[in-house]
Amino acid sequence: CLSCRFQREYIWDSKTGSKLVATVLLGLIVPPVILYKRRHTTLGHVYDVVDGKQRLCTLVSFVMGACLVGHTV
């Protein structure tokens, strides 16, 4: 779950996002994403993102082509 009650909204600006993407593309270390596995009544097991929402959203946007338009990495 990326939109759990305890998660803040996406707040990174394009400069911060670009730095993360560059870090990944350079093969440098990125802090781990922390997940919590729980049982959902209809979906079975689901994972809540405890730490790393900003990083995950940034990388998903990059991969899907929304890649911080107008900024170079």
Side-chain angles (χ1 to χ4, degrees):
C1 175
L2 283 172
S3 57
C4 299
R5 287 179 280 137
F6 57 85
Q7 284 289 354
R8 64 183 176 187
E9 294 298 316
Y10 186 80
I11 61 168
W12 280 12
D13 59 21
S14 60
K15 183 177 179 180
T16 304
S18 292
K19 286 181 181 180
L20 175 69
V21 171
T23 298
V24 170
L25 293 175
L26 291 170
L28 301 175
I29 296 172
V30 175
V33 172
I34 308 298
L35 303 174
Y36 173 75
K37 181 180 177 181
R38 65 180 170 89
R39 182 103 174 112
H40 188 277
T41 53
T42 57
L43 300 174
H45 286 104
V46 295
Y47 294 89
D48 294 330
V49 177
V50 175
D51 182 49
K53 176 183 176 177
Q54 307 295 310
R55 286 170 275 148
L56 284 175
C57 289
T58 298
L59 295 174
V60 167
S61 292
F62 176 77
V63 169
M64 294 183 72
C67 160
L68 311 169
V69 177
H71 293 79
T72 56
V73 179

